Coordinates of all heavy atoms in Angstrom, one line a residue:
M1 N -48.8 -22.6 -2.9 CA -48.9 -22.3 -1.5 C -47.6 -21.6 -1.1 O -46.5 -22.1 -1.4 CB -49.3 -23.4 -0.7 CG -49.4 -23.2 0.8 SD -50.1 -24.6 1.5 CE -50.8 -23.9 3.0
L2 N -47.6 -20.6 -0.3 CA -46.4 -19.9 0.3 C -45.7 -20.8 1.4 O -46.5 -21.5 2.1 CB -46.8 -18.6 0.8 CG -47.2 -17.5 -0.2 CD1 -47.7 -16.3 0.4 CD2 -46.2 -17.3 -1.3
N3 N -44.5 -20.8 1.4 CA -43.7 -21.5 2.4 C -43.6 -20.6 3.6 O -42.7 -19.8 3.7 CB -42.4 -21.9 1.9 CG -41.6 -22.7 2.8 OD1 -42.0 -22.9 3.9 ND2 -40.4 -23.3 2.3
T4 N -44.5 -20.6 4.6 CA -44.5 -19.7 5.7 C -43.5 -19.9 6.6 O -43.1 -19.0 7.3 CB -45.9 -19.8 6.4 OG1 -46.2 -21.3 6.7 CG2 -47.1 -19.4 5.5
V5 N -43.0 -21.1 6.7 CA -41.9 -21.4 7.6 C -40.6 -20.7 7.3 O -39.9 -20.0 8.0 CB -41.6 -23.0 7.8 CG1 -40.4 -23.2 8.6 CG2 -42.9 -23.6 8.3
W6 N -40.4 -20.7 5.9 CA -39.1 -20.0 5.2 C -39.3 -18.5 5.5 O -38.5 -17.8 5.8 CB -39.0 -20.4 3.9 CG -37.9 -19.8 3.2 CD1 -36.5 -20.1 3.2 CD2 -37.9 -18.6 2.5 NE1 -35.8 -19.3 2.6 CE2 -36.6 -18.2 2.0 CE3 -39.0 -17.7 2.0 CZ2 -36.3 -17.1 1.3 CZ3 -38.7 -16.6 1.2 CH2 -37.3 -16.4 0.9
T7 N -40.6 -18.0 5.2 CA -40.9 -16.7 5.2 C -40.7 -16.2 6.6 O -40.1 -15.0 6.8 CB -42.3 -16.3 4.8 OG1 -42.4 -16.9 3.4 CG2 -42.5 -14.8 4.8
L8 N -41.2 -16.8 7.6 CA -41.0 -16.5 9.0 C -39.5 -16.4 9.5 O -39.1 -15.6 10.1 CB -41.9 -17.3 10.0 CG -43.3 -17.0 9.8 CD1 -44.1 -18.2 10.7 CD2 -43.8 -15.7 10.3
A9 N -38.8 -17.5 8.9 CA -37.4 -17.5 9.3 C -36.6 -16.3 8.8 O -35.8 -15.7 9.5 CB -36.8 -18.8 8.8
V10 N -36.9 -15.9 7.4 CA -36.2 -14.8 6.9 C -36.6 -13.6 7.5 O -35.8 -12.7 8.0 CB -36.6 -14.9 5.4 CG1 -36.2 -13.4 4.7 CG2 -36.0 -15.8 4.7
A11 N -38.0 -13.4 7.8 CA -38.5 -12.2 8.6 C -37.8 -12.1 10.0 O -37.5 -10.9 10.5 CB -40.0 -12.1 8.6
D12 N -37.6 -13.2 10.6 CA -37.1 -13.1 12.0 C -35.6 -12.6 11.9 O -35.2 -11.9 12.9 CB -37.1 -14.6 12.5 CG -36.7 -14.6 13.8 OD1 -37.1 -13.7 14.8 OD2 -36.0 -15.5 14.3
G13 N -34.8 -13.0 10.9 CA -33.6 -12.6 10.7 C -33.5 -11.1 10.5 O -32.6 -10.3 11.1
Y14 N -34.4 -10.5 9.7 CA -34.4 -9.1 9.4 C -34.8 -8.3 10.7 O -34.3 -7.2 10.9 CB -35.5 -8.8 8.3 CG -35.0 -9.2 6.9 CD1 -35.8 -9.9 6.0 CD2 -33.6 -9.2 6.5 CE1 -35.3 -10.2 4.8 CE2 -33.2 -9.5 5.4 CZ -34.0 -10.1 4.4 OH -33.6 -10.5 3.2
V15 N -35.8 -8.9 11.5 CA -36.2 -8.1 12.6 C -35.0 -8.0 13.7 O -34.8 -7.1 14.3 CB -37.5 -8.8 13.3 CG1 -37.6 -8.4 14.7 CG2 -38.6 -8.7 12.4
I16 N -34.3 -9.2 13.8 CA -33.1 -9.1 14.7 C -32.1 -8.1 14.2 O -31.6 -7.3 15.0 CB -32.4 -10.5 14.8 CG1 -33.3 -11.4 15.5 CG2 -31.1 -10.4 15.4 CD1 -32.9 -12.9 15.5
C17 N -31.8 -8.1 13.0 CA -30.9 -7.0 12.4 C -31.4 -5.6 12.5 O -30.6 -4.7 13.0 CB -30.6 -7.3 11.0 SG -29.1 -6.5 10.2
L18 N -32.7 -5.4 12.3 CA -33.3 -4.1 12.5 C -33.3 -3.7 13.9 O -33.1 -2.5 14.3 CB -34.8 -4.1 12.0 CG -35.4 -2.8 11.9 CD1 -34.8 -1.7 11.1 CD2 -36.9 -3.0 11.4
S19 N -33.5 -4.6 14.8 CA -33.5 -4.3 16.2 C -32.1 -3.8 16.7 O -31.9 -3.0 17.7 CB -34.0 -5.4 17.1 OG -33.1 -6.4 17.1
L20 N -31.0 -4.3 15.9 CA -29.6 -3.8 16.4 C -29.4 -2.5 15.6 O -28.6 -1.6 16.1 CB -28.6 -4.9 15.8 CG -28.7 -6.2 16.7 CD1 -27.7 -7.3 16.0 CD2 -28.4 -6.0 18.1
H21 N -29.9 -2.2 14.4 CA -29.8 -1.1 13.7 C -30.4 0.2 14.2 O -29.9 1.2 14.3 CB -30.3 -1.3 12.3 CG -30.2 -0.1 11.3 ND1 -29.1 0.5 10.8 CD2 -31.3 0.8 11.0 CE1 -29.3 1.5 10.2 NE2 -30.7 1.7 10.2
A22 N -31.6 0.0 14.8 CA -32.4 1.2 15.4 C -31.8 2.0 16.4 O -31.7 3.2 16.3 CB -33.7 0.7 15.7
P23 N -31.2 1.4 17.4 CA -30.5 2.2 18.5 C -29.2 2.9 17.9 O -29.0 4.0 18.4 CB -30.0 1.1 19.5 CG -30.9 0.0 19.3 CD -31.2 -0.1 17.8
G24 N -28.5 2.3 17.1 CA -27.2 2.9 16.5 C -27.6 4.0 15.6 O -27.0 5.1 15.7
E25 N -28.7 3.9 14.9 CA -29.2 5.1 14.1 C -29.7 6.2 14.9 O -29.5 7.4 14.6 CB -30.2 4.5 13.1 CG -30.4 5.5 11.9 CD -29.3 5.7 11.1 OE1 -28.6 4.9 10.7 OE2 -29.1 7.1 10.8
G26 N -30.5 5.8 16.0 CA -31.0 6.8 16.8 C -29.9 7.7 17.5 O -30.0 8.9 17.6
A27 N -28.9 6.9 18.1 CA -27.7 7.5 18.7 C -27.1 8.5 17.8 O -26.7 9.6 18.0 CB -26.9 6.6 19.4
N28 N -26.9 8.0 16.5 CA -26.2 8.8 15.4 C -27.0 10.0 15.1 O -26.4 11.0 15.0 CB -26.1 7.9 14.3 CG -25.4 8.6 13.1 OD1 -24.4 9.3 13.4 ND2 -25.8 8.4 11.9
T29 N -28.3 10.0 15.2 CA -29.2 11.1 14.9 C -28.9 12.3 15.9 O -28.7 13.5 15.7 CB -30.6 10.8 14.8 OG1 -30.7 9.8 13.7 CG2 -31.4 11.9 14.5
V30 N -28.9 11.8 17.2 CA -28.7 12.6 18.3 C -27.3 13.2 18.3 O -27.2 14.6 18.5 CB -29.0 11.9 19.7 CG1 -28.6 12.7 20.9 CG2 -30.4 11.6 19.8
L31 N -26.3 12.4 18.1 CA -24.9 13.0 18.1 C -24.7 13.8 16.9 O -24.0 14.9 17.0 CB -24.0 11.7 18.1 CG -23.9 11.0 19.4 CD1 -23.0 9.7 19.2 CD2 -23.5 11.9 20.5
T32 N -25.3 13.6 15.8 CA -25.2 14.5 14.7 C -25.8 15.9 15.0 O -25.2 16.9 14.5 CB -25.7 13.9 13.4 OG1 -25.1 12.7 13.1 CG2 -25.6 14.7 12.1
G33 N -26.9 15.8 15.6 CA -27.6 17.0 16.1 C -26.7 17.8 17.1 O -26.6 19.2 16.9
V34 N -25.9 17.2 17.9 CA -25.1 17.9 18.7 C -23.9 18.5 18.1 O -23.6 19.7 18.3 CB -24.6 16.9 19.9 CG1 -23.4 17.5 20.7 CG2 -25.7 16.4 20.7
L35 N -23.3 17.7 17.0 CA -22.3 18.3 16.2 C -22.8 19.6 15.5 O -22.1 20.6 15.4 CB -21.8 17.4 15.2 CG -20.9 16.2 15.9 CD1 -20.6 15.2 14.7 CD2 -19.6 16.8 16.4
K36 N -24.0 19.6 15.0 CA -24.6 20.8 14.3 C -24.7 21.9 15.3 O -24.5 23.0 14.8 CB -25.9 20.4 13.6 CG -25.9 19.5 12.4 CD -27.1 19.2 11.9 CE -27.0 18.2 10.6 NZ -28.4 17.8 10.1
S37 N -25.2 21.6 16.5 CA -25.5 22.7 17.4 C -24.1 23.4 17.9 O -24.1 24.4 18.3 CB -26.3 22.2 18.6 OG -25.5 21.2 19.3
C38 N -23.1 22.5 17.8 CA -21.7 23.1 18.1 C -20.9 23.7 17.0 O -19.8 24.0 17.1 CB -20.9 21.9 18.8 SG -21.5 21.3 20.4
S39 N -21.7 23.9 15.9 CA -21.1 24.5 14.7 C -20.0 23.5 14.1 O -18.9 24.2 13.7 CB -20.7 25.9 14.9 OG -21.6 26.7 15.4
R40 N -20.2 22.2 14.3 CA -19.1 21.3 13.7 C -19.6 20.5 12.6 O -19.5 19.4 12.5 CB -18.5 20.5 14.8 CG -17.8 21.4 15.9 CD -17.5 20.5 17.1 NE -16.2 20.0 16.9 CZ -15.6 19.4 17.8 NH1 -16.2 18.9 18.9 NH2 -14.3 18.9 17.5
Q41 N -20.5 21.2 11.7 CA -21.2 20.5 10.6 C -20.4 19.8 9.7 O -20.6 18.6 9.3 CB -22.1 21.4 9.9 CG -23.2 22.0 10.6 CD -22.8 23.4 11.1 OE1 -21.6 23.6 11.6 NE2 -23.7 24.3 11.1
K42 N -19.1 20.3 9.4 CA -18.2 19.8 8.5 C -17.7 18.3 9.1 O -17.4 17.5 8.2 CB -16.9 20.8 8.3 CG -17.4 21.8 7.5 CD -16.2 22.8 7.1 CE -16.7 24.1 6.3 NZ -15.6 25.0 6.1
L43 N -17.4 18.3 10.3 CA -17.0 17.0 10.9 C -18.0 16.0 10.8 O -17.8 14.8 10.5 CB -16.4 17.2 12.4 CG -15.3 17.9 12.5 CD1 -15.0 18.2 14.0 CD2 -14.1 17.2 12.0
G44 N -19.2 16.4 11.0 CA -20.4 15.5 10.9 C -20.6 15.0 9.4 O -20.9 13.8 9.3
A45 N -20.5 16.0 8.5 CA -20.5 15.5 7.2 C -19.3 14.6 6.8 O -19.6 13.6 6.0 CB -20.6 16.7 6.3
A46 N -18.2 14.8 7.3 CA -17.1 14.0 6.9 C -17.3 12.6 7.5 O -17.0 11.6 6.9 CB -15.8 14.7 7.5
V47 N -17.8 12.5 8.8 CA -18.0 11.2 9.4 C -19.1 10.3 8.5 O -18.9 9.3 8.3 CB -18.5 11.4 10.8 CG1 -19.1 10.0 11.4 CG2 -17.4 11.8 11.7
S48 N -20.2 11.2 8.2 CA -21.2 10.5 7.2 C -20.6 10.0 5.9 O -21.0 8.9 5.5 CB -22.3 11.4 7.1 OG -23.4 10.9 6.4
L49 N -19.8 10.9 5.3 CA -19.3 10.4 4.0 C -18.4 9.2 4.2 O -18.4 8.4 3.4 CB -18.5 11.7 3.4 CG -17.8 11.5 2.2 CD1 -18.8 11.3 1.0 CD2 -16.7 12.5 1.8
L50 N -17.5 9.3 5.3 CA -16.6 8.3 5.4 C -17.3 6.9 5.8 O -16.9 5.9 5.0 CB -15.6 8.6 6.6 CG -14.7 7.4 7.1 CD1 -13.6 7.2 6.0 CD2 -14.0 7.8 8.4
T51 N -18.1 6.9 6.6 CA -18.8 5.6 7.1 C -20.0 5.1 6.0 O -19.9 3.9 5.8 CB -19.6 5.8 8.4 OG1 -20.4 6.8 8.4 CG2 -18.5 6.0 9.4
S52 N -20.7 6.0 5.5 CA -21.7 5.6 4.6 C -21.2 5.2 3.2 O -21.6 4.2 2.7 CB -22.8 6.7 4.5 OG -23.5 6.8 5.8
W53 N -20.5 6.1 2.6 CA -20.1 5.8 1.2 C -18.6 5.2 1.0 O -18.6 4.4 0.2 CB -20.0 7.3 0.5 CG -21.5 7.9 0.4 CD1 -21.9 8.8 1.2 CD2 -22.5 7.5 -0.5 NE1 -23.1 9.1 0.8 CE2 -23.6 8.3 -0.1 CE3 -22.5 6.6 -1.5 CZ2 -24.8 8.2 -0.8 CZ3 -23.7 6.4 -2.2 CH2 -24.8 7.2 -1.9
I54 N -17.7 5.5 1.8 CA -16.5 5.1 1.6 C -16.4 3.6 2.3 O -15.7 2.7 1.7 CB -15.4 5.9 2.1 CG1 -15.4 7.2 1.3 CG2 -14.0 5.3 2.0 CD1 -14.5 8.3 1.8
L55 N -17.0 3.3 3.5 CA -16.9 2.0 4.0 C -18.2 1.4 3.9 O -18.1 0.1 3.6 CB -16.6 2.2 5.6 CG -15.4 3.0 6.0 CD1 -15.3 3.1 7.5 CD2 -14.2 2.0 5.5
G56 N -19.3 1.9 4.0 CA -20.6 1.3 3.9 C -21.0 0.6 2.7 O -21.5 -0.5 2.6
L57 N -20.9 1.5 1.6 CA -21.3 1.0 0.3 C -20.4 -0.3 -0.1 O -21.0 -1.3 -0.6 CB -21.2 2.1 -0.7 CG -21.9 1.8 -2.0 CD1 -23.4 1.6 -1.9 CD2 -21.6 3.0 -3.0
P58 N -19.1 -0.2 0.1 CA -18.4 -1.4 -0.5 C -18.7 -2.6 0.5 O -18.8 -3.8 0.0 CB -16.9 -1.0 -0.3 CG -17.0 0.5 -0.4 CD -18.3 0.9 0.2
L59 N -18.9 -2.4 1.8 CA -19.2 -3.5 2.7 C -20.6 -4.0 2.3 O -20.7 -5.3 2.4 CB -19.2 -2.8 4.2 CG -19.6 -4.0 5.3 CD1 -18.5 -5.0 5.3 CD2 -19.7 -3.2 6.5
A60 N -21.6 -3.2 2.0 CA -22.9 -3.7 1.6 C -22.8 -4.6 0.3 O -23.3 -5.6 0.3 CB -23.8 -2.5 1.4
Y61 N -22.1 -4.1 -0.6 CA -21.8 -4.9 -1.8 C -21.1 -6.4 -1.6 O -21.5 -7.4 -2.0 CB -21.0 -4.1 -2.9 CG -20.6 -4.9 -4.1 CD1 -21.4 -5.1 -5.1 CD2 -19.3 -5.4 -4.1 CE1 -21.1 -5.9 -6.2 CE2 -18.9 -6.2 -5.3 CZ -19.8 -6.4 -6.3 OH -19.6 -7.1 -7.3
W62 N -20.0 -6.2 -0.7 CA -19.3 -7.4 -0.4 C -20.2 -8.4 0.3 O -20.1 -9.6 0.1 CB -18.0 -7.1 0.4 CG -17.3 -8.3 0.7 CD1 -16.3 -8.9 -0.2 CD2 -17.1 -8.9 2.0 NE1 -15.8 -9.9 0.6 CE2 -16.3 -10.0 1.8 CE3 -17.8 -8.8 3.2 CZ2 -15.9 -11.0 2.8 CZ3 -17.5 -9.7 4.2 CH2 -16.5 -10.8 4.0
L63 N -20.9 -8.0 1.3 CA -21.8 -8.9 2.1 C -22.9 -9.4 1.3 O -23.2 -10.5 1.3 CB -22.3 -8.2 3.4 CG -21.4 -8.0 4.5 CD1 -22.0 -7.0 5.6 CD2 -20.8 -9.2 5.1
A64 N -23.5 -8.6 0.6 CA -24.7 -8.9 -0.2 C -24.4 -10.0 -1.4 O -25.1 -11.0 -1.5 CB -25.5 -7.7 -0.7
F65 N -23.4 -9.5 -2.1 CA -23.3 -10.1 -3.4 C -22.0 -11.1 -3.4 O -22.0 -12.2 -3.9 CB -23.0 -9.2 -4.6 CG -24.2 -8.3 -4.7 CD1 -24.2 -7.0 -4.3 CD2 -25.5 -8.8 -5.1 CE1 -25.4 -6.2 -4.4 CE2 -26.6 -8.1 -5.2 CZ -26.5 -6.7 -4.8
R66 N -20.9 -10.6 -2.8 CA -19.8 -11.6 -2.7 C -19.8 -12.6 -1.7 O -19.2 -13.8 -1.9 CB -18.5 -10.7 -2.5 CG -18.1 -9.8 -3.6 CD -17.6 -10.4 -4.9 NE -17.3 -9.5 -5.8 CZ -16.8 -9.9 -7.1 NH1 -16.6 -11.1 -7.3 NH2 -16.5 -8.9 -7.9
H67 N -20.4 -12.3 -0.6 CA -20.6 -13.2 0.4 C -21.9 -13.9 0.5 O -22.3 -14.8 1.3 CB -20.4 -12.4 1.8 CG -20.0 -13.4 2.9 ND1 -20.8 -13.9 3.7 CD2 -18.7 -13.6 3.4 CE1 -20.3 -14.8 4.7 NE2 -19.0 -14.5 4.4
H68 N -22.7 -13.6 -0.5 CA -24.0 -14.3 -0.9 C -25.0 -14.3 0.3 O -25.8 -15.1 0.5 CB -23.8 -15.7 -1.2 CG -22.9 -15.8 -2.5 ND1 -23.2 -15.5 -3.7 CD2 -21.6 -16.3 -2.4 CE1 -22.1 -15.6 -4.5 NE2 -21.1 -16.1 -3.8
M69 N -25.0 -13.1 1.0 CA -26.0 -12.9 2.1 C -27.3 -12.2 1.7 O -28.3 -12.2 2.4 CB -25.5 -12.1 3.2 CG -24.3 -12.7 3.9 SD -23.6 -11.8 5.3 CE -24.9 -11.8 6.5
G70 N -27.4 -11.6 0.4 CA -28.5 -11.0 -0.1 C -28.9 -9.9 0.6 O -28.1 -9.0 1.2
P71 N -30.3 -9.5 0.8 CA -30.8 -8.5 1.5 C -30.2 -8.3 3.0 O -30.0 -7.3 3.5 CB -32.2 -8.6 1.5 CG -32.5 -9.5 0.2 CD -31.3 -10.3 0.2
M72 N -30.1 -9.4 3.6 CA -29.5 -9.5 5.0 C -28.2 -8.8 5.0 O -27.8 -8.1 6.0 CB -29.5 -10.9 5.5 CG -29.1 -10.9 6.9 SD -30.1 -9.9 8.0 CE -30.6 -11.2 9.1
G73 N -27.3 -9.1 4.0 CA -25.9 -8.4 3.9 C -26.1 -6.9 3.8 O -25.4 -6.2 4.5
L74 N -27.2 -6.4 3.1 CA -27.3 -4.9 3.0 C -27.8 -4.5 4.4 O -27.2 -3.3 4.8 CB -28.4 -4.7 2.0 CG -28.1 -5.1 0.5 CD1 -29.3 -4.8 -0.4 CD2 -26.8 -4.3 0.0
W75 N -28.7 -5.1 5.1 CA -29.0 -4.6 6.4 C -27.9 -4.7 7.3 O -27.8 -3.8 8.3 CB -30.3 -5.4 7.0 CG -31.6 -4.8 6.3 CD1 -32.3 -5.5 5.4 CD2 -32.2 -3.8 6.8 NE1 -33.5 -4.8 5.3 CE2 -33.4 -3.7 6.1 CE3 -32.0 -2.7 7.7 CZ2 -34.3 -2.6 6.2 CZ3 -32.8 -1.6 7.8 CH2 -34.0 -1.6 7.1
L76 N -27.1 -5.7 7.4 CA -26.0 -5.9 8.2 C -24.9 -4.6 7.9 O -24.4 -4.2 8.9 CB -25.3 -7.2 8.0 CG -24.3 -7.6 9.1 CD1 -24.8 -7.7 10.4 CD2 -23.6 -8.9 8.7
A77 N -24.9 -4.3 6.8 CA -23.9 -3.2 6.4 C -24.4 -1.9 6.9 O -23.7 -1.1 7.5 CB -23.5 -3.1 4.9
L78 N -25.7 -1.7 6.8 CA -26.3 -0.5 7.4 C -26.2 -0.4 8.9 O -25.9 0.5 9.5 CB -27.8 -0.5 7.1 CG -28.2 0.0 5.7 CD1 -29.7 -0.1 5.4 CD2 -27.9 1.5 5.5
T79 N -26.3 -1.6 9.6 CA -26.2 -1.7 10.9 C -24.7 -1.4 11.4 O -24.5 -0.6 12.4 CB -26.7 -3.2 11.5 OG1 -28.0 -3.3 11.1 CG2 -26.4 -3.2 13.0
I80 N -23.8 -2.0 10.8 CA -22.5 -1.8 11.1 C -22.0 -0.2 10.8 O -21.3 0.4 11.7 CB -21.5 -2.6 10.3 CG1 -21.7 -4.0 10.7 CG2 -20.0 -2.2 10.2 CD1 -21.1 -5.0 9.8
T81 N -22.6 0.4 9.8 CA -22.3 1.8 9.5 C -22.8 2.7 10.5 O -22.2 3.7 10.8 CB -22.5 2.2 8.0 OG1 -23.8 2.0 7.8 CG2 -21.7 1.4 7.1
A82 N -24.1 2.4 10.9 CA -24.7 3.1 12.0 C -23.9 3.1 13.2 O -23.8 4.3 13.9 CB -26.1 2.7 12.2
F83 N -23.4 2.1 13.6 CA -22.6 2.0 14.9 C -21.3 2.8 14.7 O -20.8 3.3 15.6 CB -22.4 0.5 15.3 CG -23.6 0.1 16.2 CD1 -24.5 -0.7 15.6 CD2 -23.7 0.5 17.4 CE1 -25.6 -1.2 16.4 CE2 -24.9 0.1 18.2 CZ -25.8 -0.8 17.6
L84 N -20.6 2.5 13.5 CA -19.4 3.2 13.3 C -19.7 4.8 13.3 O -18.8 5.5 13.9 CB -18.8 2.9 11.9 CG -18.1 1.6 11.8 CD1 -17.7 1.2 10.4 CD2 -17.0 1.6 12.7
Q85 N -20.7 5.2 12.7 CA -21.0 6.7 12.8 C -21.3 7.1 14.2 O -20.7 8.3 14.6 CB -22.3 7.0 12.0 CG -22.1 7.0 10.5 CD -23.3 7.3 9.7 OE1 -24.4 7.4 10.3 NE2 -23.2 7.6 8.4
T86 N -22.0 6.3 15.0 CA -22.2 6.7 16.4 C -20.8 6.8 17.2 O -20.6 7.7 18.0 CB -23.1 5.8 17.0 OG1 -24.3 5.6 16.3 CG2 -23.4 6.0 18.4
V87 N -20.0 5.9 17.0 CA -18.7 5.8 17.8 C -17.9 7.0 17.3 O -17.3 7.8 18.1 CB -18.0 4.5 17.4 CG1 -16.4 4.6 17.9 CG2 -18.7 3.3 18.1
L88 N -17.8 7.2 16.0 CA -16.9 8.4 15.6 C -17.5 9.7 16.0 O -16.7 10.6 16.4 CB -16.7 8.3 14.0 CG -15.9 7.2 13.5 CD1 -15.9 7.2 12.0 CD2 -14.5 7.3 14.0
A89 N -18.9 9.9 15.9 CA -19.3 11.2 16.3 C -19.2 11.3 17.9 O -18.8 12.4 18.3 CB -20.8 11.2 16.0
G90 N -19.4 10.3 18.5 CA -19.1 10.3 20.0 C -17.6 10.6 20.4 O -17.4 11.5 21.2
L91 N -16.7 10.1 19.6 CA -15.2 10.5 19.9 C -15.0 11.9 19.6 O -14.3 12.6 20.3 CB -14.3 9.5 19.1 CG -14.3 8.1 19.6 CD1 -13.5 7.3 18.6 CD2 -13.8 8.0 20.9
I92 N -15.6 12.4 18.5 CA -15.4 13.9 18.1 C -16.0 14.8 19.3 O -15.4 15.7 19.6 CB -16.0 14.2 16.8 CG1 -15.2 13.5 15.6 CG2 -16.1 15.7 16.6 CD1 -15.9 13.4 14.4
I93 N -17.1 14.4 19.7 CA -17.8 15.2 20.7 C -17.0 15.2 22.0 O -16.8 16.2 22.7 CB -19.3 14.8 20.9 CG1 -20.1 15.2 19.6 CG2 -19.9 15.4 22.2 CD1 -21.5 14.7 19.6
A94 N -16.5 14.0 22.4 CA -15.8 13.8 23.7 C -14.5 14.5 23.6 O -14.0 15.0 24.7 CB -15.5 12.3 23.9
R95 N -14.0 14.9 22.5 CA -12.6 15.5 22.4 C -12.8 17.0 22.9 O -13.5 17.8 22.8 CB -12.1 15.6 21.0 CG -11.2 14.5 20.7 CD -10.7 14.6 19.3 NE -11.1 15.6 18.5 CZ -10.4 16.2 17.5 NH1 -9.2 15.7 17.3 NH2 -10.8 17.3 16.9

């Protein structure tokens, strides 16, 4: 028999993390589109490279495996990098 209480607790944590991830990713998509329409694709690509690969991937590894958070660490790293991308793209556009 499946442990439904444990399953619900784990799913509840993922839903909370996903609810924080979605607005950051949505805003990032809009701001990246603004950068493209302003012919600043190189800056958008640099922000994406910096946050996703240089910061996000090591953070995901550290949270998931070194900090023993498992899949929740991966989702948390995705959430953090989505907000970092949004902030950096917003600062570039505001300049």
Side-chain angles (χ1 to χ4, degrees):
M1 183 170 202
L2 295 173
N3 187 350
T4 56
V5 174
W6 178 82
T7 304
L8 288 174
V10 169
D12 187 40
Y14 289 141
V15 168
I16 291 170
C17 193
L18 184 60
S19 70
L20 295 174
H21 173 76
E25 194 63 43
N28 180 37
T29 302
V30 171
L31 292 175
T32 302
V34 171
L35 285 173
K36 287 179 184 177
S37 67
C38 294
S39 298
R40 299 172 91 182
Q41 299 94 322
K42 289 182 182 179
L43 286 174
V47 166
S48 181
L49 178 70
L50 173 72
T51 56
S52 295
W53 293 100
I54 296 174
L55 297 174
L57 191 62
L59 179 64
Y61 173 79
W62 183 76
L63 288 174
F65 301 112
R66 296 290 183 178
H67 204 271
H68 306 290
M69 291 180 73
M72 182 59 119
L74 299 174
W75 276 106
L76 188 58
L78 279 172
T79 302
I80 291 169
T81 56
F83 277 102
L84 281 174
Q85 284 179 351
T86 301
V87 168
L88 289 174
L91 289 174
I92 291 170
I93 291 169
R95 271 186 352 155

